[in-house]
Amino acid sequence: MSAAHDAERIGPTAHYTAYVWHRLGLPYARHLATRQGAVLYWGFFALGEWTTRVVPGVPTMRGYLAYRHLLIDALVESLGPDRLVELGAGLTPRTLQWALDRDVAAVDIDLPAMIAVKRAALLRLPAPLRARAAAALTLVAADVLAPQFEDTLAEQLADARTPVVVAEGLASYFDRTARVRLFAAVAAALRRRGGGHFVVDLHTADAQAQVGGATRVLRQAIRMLTRRRHALDPFADLPALRTALLDAGFTDARRLQPQDWVARVPALARLHSPAHVVHAWV
Ligand SMILES: C[S@@+](CC[C@H](N)C(=O)[O-])C[C@H]1O[C@@H](n2cnc3c(N)ncnc32)[C@H](O)[C@@H]1O
């Protein structure tokens, strides 16, 4: 399947997640929520997502996304980046928040159509925020699977002392070949900068099997949102996932344990997900 074809299907999910970030009350998220996201969110709810909310033990789509987003936020916070780059950034409020509240140089990388949507949303910010966002948040239109992507990313990391690259809700949509290509480009670009961090959410077949029914509901949900006929293509287990990252050039990788982060983010005590948030570094 070509990247362009995949992107066509992944794109709408960025509107959906942006609306979820807004519903969760994340800082600045209301400025990035779109009408398309609202239509998807409520359409999906009406189609049956609400049933997950009344079945005990079944994570809701919103809870599943909150888990991933808040755990990534907690790690990024602890790493204290002076450059934050988000791949497949969509309409995430994270980079905007870091740019506005921490004055950290932040970069959103996504395909041209999504970058245009984000640019339009940033232009609708209240004037004082707009000027500060324009100064600290850079939007880059690029395909993370393109052969020259390593150079594109290395350019955005130039001069950073503690670069952090985030890929949220992106890698799991790619097949294995594409995923490995993405990992290798990120590891090489970080190495060229003298080291740095990569934070990514990924799935393993064994974790999905453990939550069984819950995963089925979520996978159906994701399939519906992305019009994807095939299931996601997870790694077999955590060792296989770590091996893929090491083979791609990372020094090491670890899966974040949500309980280690509850003191920092109390909401994590209530959230569950079959997805793993993984920290890899060079
Ligand atoms: C599920 S959305 C996630 C958006 C955001 N990270 C979030 O969590 O709200 C996936 C994003 O990846 C982008 N994307 C898909 N394929 C891409 C590619 N080959 N290169 C760059 N971005 C891509 C889509 O345009 C979309 O914005």
Side-chain angles (χ1 to χ4, degrees), residues 10 28 39 49 58 65 71 85 104 127 141 197 205 211 222 240-241 259:
I10 305 172
Y28 304 108
V39 168
E49 194 266 351
V58 175
L65 292 169
L71 197 45
V85 179
V104 162
H197 305 272
V211 277
I222 293 166
L241 187 162
Q259 62 271 23

Side-chain angles (χ1 to χ4, degrees), residues 10 13-14 17 21 68 88-90 110-111 114 142-144 168-170:
I10 305 172
T13 61
T17 49
W21 310 143
R68 151 187 124 185
D110 207 303
L111 296 166
M114 185 52 70
D143 178 351
V144 300
E168 178 178 6
L170 177 68

Side-chain angles (χ1 to χ4, degrees), residues 115-125 139:
I115 288 293
V117 174
K118 184 94 175 231
R119 200 178 298 286
L122 295 179
L123 284 173
R124 289 193 299 270
L125 285 173
L139 303 185

